[in-house]
Amino acid sequence: MGAKRCYESLPFSWDHKPLETARNDQQWLESIIRNAAPFTDWWTKARIIQLAYRVSETLAAKGLKGAPVYAGLDSEAAIVKTLQTQCPYPASCDFFRTVNEDFVIEVLSAWKTQQFSETVSRNFEVYADNEHPNVFLITSTVPVSLDVDRVLPPANRFRPLFNLNEFSRIVDEQNIRRLTLRTHGYANPADGFYYSFCQEAAALDPSGNSPESRTLKPDHLYVGYSWPSEKPITSPGLWADYRTSPGVVLKFLFSLSGIAGIAGAILYVFLRWVMAPVLWLLDQIPGIAAIDQTLRYRETLNLAVHWYWLTPALFMFWLLLLLLLRIVVYQRDRYRAIHYGAPDLAEFFWRLDRALTHKQHWPKDRNLWVNLIGHSMGALLLVNVLRILSDRFGKDDGGAIRPDTELENDEPDSIGDNLLLDKMLLASPDIPLEFLREGRNNYVRSAIRRCRRIYLLSSDRDIVLRYLSTMGNWFTEPSLQMAGMRLGNVYLKPTKVGREVPYRPNVRIMVHSEPAVRPTSSYDLFCKFNYLDCSRMKGVNQIPLPLNRATGLLIDILNTPLYLLGVGKVDLHGGYFQTYTIAFQLIKFLLADEMADDDSIRDGIEKIIQGTPVLFLPSQVWRMPGDGTPG
């Protein structure tokens, strides 16, 4: 044993600590145990501390498989034996490679020197799929609420890896060349994503089929990323806040009632001292006096001027409106995607890159190609991840130009010393079109410039983006156009040019459409996209009417109840990932043809969508407005 002890002996005791301090420490350890995957490094470290303490009569509890939480073991060897006996995972996993007496001594010493919090700080976990060797899952460790525990992946399907080093070892030993990461969007809680991700994994890597028929080759990993999203209305985190923070709720109600009282008083003064005299003057005109007898608006006004009727009415209206905006969880999810999900995923890539750099068998000229697939708010998360990585690996040019990359125009594509960005697939991205304009120094530009190819799967019939996003972003986006025009609502409108330039990207407002590209647009960013218009595809639409001024609003009205009731498996916002759709067949094709050239990819896409309502505009066909090809 080479580790040095910073404590005298085992077992530890709570007796020398005040009762309140002991309770806080124990509750902290138990919170880690509840929210961490069993036998990961931070779970193991918390469990080591528990096993080292004597049983507390005031806080006795049952641990894993009925074992006492505080066992009071008298040696490091006993702690190691207890943990290894309880671990159900293969002996080849890094838990058995790492957890020994030296490891236990380091953990206990960190606890005694008050450095333990640093050793158990984890922003993500990695899981291996028990059914598909090339499928993995990453989860952010942030819960949806401080008062609600995390929902861990099903233990019978996913095995938690000890830490990222175990994942990097698998990448190294299996000679992995490509990694595709797929993340979800708004209102997609953990358990729902786990289920849908398993369905996708089964479609991409079907068991029992020949290797040639599988989308995932032996050197290609499919990785899901779950960030802390929650389900609207019924999410436990929504209502736990009201129960655990009554003081904050009271402060909110007091502030709202004060604002309602001020607004009600202003409205009373306006009606009483402005509208009432005006109506009295108008009442002197015979024609208007006759109308007054019919509509009885004077009596209505007299009732309204009682300010004590106005104040509670305004208060209840605003209360219901703000409650509605809160329980649809749009802004909550948006905050977590940007401030929790994106940094945690960026740290995963950064740590993976650093771990591969230190691998003895990882040659310097070997690269790991990365594909990114983002849906809805997950697309917003991905471009924020690339912004974070751009700030680290080179901001102005998107990263250092690598001499060994064979890219058209020598585009910068590095997101690390060993990671290169290949394709990015954005399905209904919840990103403002405004970010594709000139003079916008933003995360979208750096993200788009880094990708070799970008594919946009969008629909003009996505009511979540067209309406809910507009409502949710009305108070937060700098301009109304940013709130009401999203990249995920772009569709392809036929042009008069013919076969050479058959479509132009447009975006629908209400009943009318506008060109997605304007004179102030950054054309080079629009040119990077390969557009796949899925507006009329089954799975994201159930109304086969063509889009025009007369049918636009009718399509939305008819599609909405079908979407809410789940009729015909229609998902207006997320149907691209239903495995029976043409969109998912396109995703499989783009992942399978790993290093194909543009012409081969274009021919393959056109073959898949032939005879379907999906429209395709490749980036090579793009023409800027005013270049001699009328739109």
Side-chain angles (χ1 to χ4, degrees):
M1 294 188 299
K4 182 180 179 180
R5 293 183 178 88
C6 294
Y7 52 93
E8 294 182 359
S9 62
L10 290 173
F12 296 162
S13 173
W14 302 104
D15 295 339
H16 68 284
K17 291 187 175 183
L19 180 60
E20 183 178 358
T21 302
R23 286 181 181 274
N24 290 337
D25 287 348
Q26 293 176 19
Q27 290 173 0
W28 177 35
L29 292 171
E30 291 166 9
S31 175
I32 295 174
I33 296 298
R34 291 196 310 271
N35 287 277
F39 302 101
T40 55
D41 62 346
W42 62 314
W43 182 96
T44 302
K45 290 173 181 177
R47 191 76 185 103
I48 287 172
I49 303 301
Q50 289 181 332
L51 293 174
Y53 272 95
R54 293 191 181 97
V55 177
S56 172
E57 295 181 359
T58 58
L59 295 169
K62 294 297 182 181
L64 188 69
K65 297 181 179 179
V69 171
Y70 307 103
L73 301 180
D74 58 1
S75 69
E76 293 85 1
I79 294 176
V80 172
K81 183 178 179 180
T82 300
L83 289 171
Q84 292 184 348
T85 301
Q86 294 175 344
C87 183
Y89 302 131
S92 60
C93 71
D94 276 22
F95 173 84
F96 291 99
R97 295 169 178 252
T98 307
V99 180
N100 52 31
E101 292 185 44
D102 282 345
F103 182 84
V104 172
I105 291 173
E106 292 174 355
V107 171
L108 296 177
S109 297
W111 175 265
K112 285 296 185 179
T113 57
Q114 298 183 350
Q115 297 176 339
F116 183 75
S117 60
E118 299 176 5
T119 69
V120 295
S121 177
R122 294 294 179 271
N123 294 326
F124 60 86
E125 292 176 335
V126 185
Y127 297 77
D129 190 344
N130 294 327
E131 296 186 10
H132 304 281
N134 283 26
V135 176
F136 292 81
L137 183 67
I138 305 169
T139 64
S140 171
T141 58
V142 179
V144 295
S145 173
L146 294 176
D147 302 301
V148 176
D149 291 337
R150 293 174 57 215
V151 177
L152 300 179
N156 61 339
R157 179 65 187 265
F158 293 99
R159 175 181 72 85
L161 304 186
F162 189 67
N163 53 28
L164 182 67
N165 288 332
E166 183 172 3
F167 180 74
S168 66
R169 179 175 61 81
I170 294 172
V171 171
D172 185 24
E173 293 178 354
Q174 295 185 7
N175 196 28
I176 300 301
R177 299 284 184 175
R178 185 165 295 268
L179 183 153
T180 296
L181 184 135
R182 188 303 215 202
T183 189
H184 59 86
Y186 152 75
N188 201 331
D191 51 354
F193 178 67
Y194 299 151
Y195 174 79
S196 61
F197 180 71
C198 290
Q199 299 294 108
E200 296 170 23
L204 293 172
D205 189 30
S207 302
N209 288 19
S210 62
E212 293 77 14
S213 64
R214 296 180 179 179
T215 301
L216 299 179
K217 305 304 180 186
D219 63 349
H220 189 170
L221 301 184
Y222 189 63
V223 182
Y225 177 57
S226 175
W227 53 274
S229 175
E230 61 183 334
K231 191 174 183 179
I233 302 176
T234 60
S235 173
L238 279 170
W239 308 107
D241 292 344
Y242 293 99
R243 184 182 67 253
T244 59
S245 303
V248 177
V249 175
L250 180 62
K251 181 171 68 172
F252 166 76
L253 294 176
F254 176 79
S255 303
L256 186 64
S257 60
I259 296 174
I262 294 172
I266 293 174
L267 185 58
Y268 166 77
V269 170
F270 174 75
L271 294 175
R272 179 69 179 84
W273 301 105
V274 177
M275 288 301 300
V278 169
L279 290 176
W280 182 85
L281 292 174
L282 294 176
D283 199 34
Q284 307 306 311
I285 303 175
I288 297 181
I291 297 177
D292 180 26
Q293 295 294 328
T294 304
L295 299 181
R296 304 175 67 87
Y297 57 82
R298 180 174 293 279
E299 295 181 10
T300 305
L301 176 64
N302 290 334
L303 181 63
V305 295
H306 294 287
W307 69 271
Y308 51 83
W309 286 107
L310 300 175
T311 298
L314 286 172
F315 174 79
M316 292 304 300
F317 172 76
W318 285 337
L319 180 63
L320 292 175
L321 176 62
L322 295 176
L323 178 62
L324 176 64
L325 291 176
R326 182 172 178 81
I327 65 177
V328 297
V329 305
Y330 180 84
Q331 286 298 337
R332 289 163 61 96
D333 267 12
R334 184 179 174 88
Y335 184 95
R336 285 188 291 256
I338 295 175
H339 299 290
Y340 299 152
D344 291 352
L345 183 57
E347 182 181 347
F348 164 78
F349 281 119
W350 170 66
R351 291 189 179 276
L352 175 61
D353 181 66
R354 189 176 67 171
L356 294 177
T357 300
H358 291 86
K359 291 296 179 184
Q360 295 181 354
H361 303 293
W362 188 271
K364 293 183 179 180
D365 59 346
R366 178 179 170 188
N367 298 314
L368 179 64
W369 286 97
V370 177
N371 299 322
L372 299 175
I373 304 176
H375 170 235
S376 181
M377 205 171 282
L380 180 67
L381 182 150
L382 288 181
V383 295
N384 273 279
V385 168
L386 294 181
R387 176 180 64 169
I388 296 171
L389 295 176
S390 296
D391 290 340
R392 177 172 179 80
F393 295 107
K395 184 175 181 180
D396 295 333
D397 59 359
I401 305 289
R402 300 178 62 94
D404 56 336
T405 53
E406 299 177 359
L407 302 177
E408 294 181 8
N409 301 324
D410 206 22
E411 289 272 1
D413 59 347
S414 171
I415 55 173
D417 295 329
N418 307 283
L419 308 180
L420 299 179
L421 187 57
D422 187 12
K423 301 183 183 76
M424 184 161 66
L425 283 68
L426 305 178
S428 280
D430 191 3
I431 298 173
L433 269 178
E434 182 78 10
F435 282 165
L436 301 185
R437 302 285 168 80
E438 292 287 357
R440 299 294 187 269
N441 182 17
N442 56 69
Y443 52 86
V444 175
R445 175 182 294 275
S446 60
I448 290 176
R449 292 187 62 194
R450 280 187 174 275
C451 300
R452 298 175 76 227
R453 299 183 181 93
I454 303 178
Y455 296 87
L456 173 64
L457 291 82
S458 56
S459 168
D460 71 85
R461 308 178 187 204
D462 186 341
I463 60 172
V464 174
L465 287 184
R466 296 194 63 243
Y467 299 107
L468 181 59
S469 179
T470 302
M471 290 288 294
N473 293 307
W474 188 261
F475 303 101
T476 60
E477 299 285 11
S479 70
L480 295 182
Q481 290 182 347
M482 293 177 71
M485 299 172 65
R486 316 303 278 185
L487 187 60
N489 285 137
V490 169
Y491 76 99
L492 297 178
K493 183 177 181 179
T495 68
K496 302 176 181 179
V497 178
R499 295 178 59 87
E500 184 180 359
V501 187
Y503 310 109
R504 289 285 191 200
N506 271 49
V507 60
R508 180 156 64 100
I509 309 303
M510 277 292 287
V511 296
H512 74 286
S513 299
E514 296 181 4
V517 186
R518 295 187 177 185
T520 58
S521 298
S522 184
Y523 299 127
D524 62 315
L525 299 184
F526 277 94
C527 291
K528 289 281 291 186
F529 284 97
N530 294 274
Y531 298 88
L532 289 160
D533 180 4
C534 303
S535 300
R536 299 181 65 183
M537 182 190 75
K538 288 186 177 180
V540 297
N541 172 61
Q542 196 78 340
I543 308 300
L545 294 175
L547 177 64
N548 53 51
R549 287 180 176 270
T551 61
L553 193 57
L554 178 62
I555 291 172
D556 291 343
I557 294 174
L558 296 178
N559 260 330
T560 299
L562 300 178
Y563 170 51
L564 297 177
L565 297 175
V567 177
K569 296 182 179 180
V570 61
D571 185 348
L572 303 179
H573 187 54
Y576 310 91
F577 298 97
Q578 298 187 44
T579 56
Y580 71 90
T581 62
I582 299 298
F584 193 78
Q585 299 303 314
L586 291 169
I587 293 173
K588 290 179 62 176
F589 168 74
L590 292 172
L591 297 184
D593 281 359
E594 296 173 348
M595 300 303 292
D597 56 59
D598 289 333
D599 291 336
S600 299
I601 295 177
R602 176 179 176 177
D603 293 341
I605 291 177
E606 291 179 345
K607 182 178 179 180
I608 293 174
I609 66 175
Q610 186 176 6
T612 73
V614 177
L615 306 179
F616 176 45
L617 179 64
S619 60
Q620 308 97 302
V621 178
W622 175 265
R623 296 291 185 275
M624 299 181 187
D627 61 1
T629 57

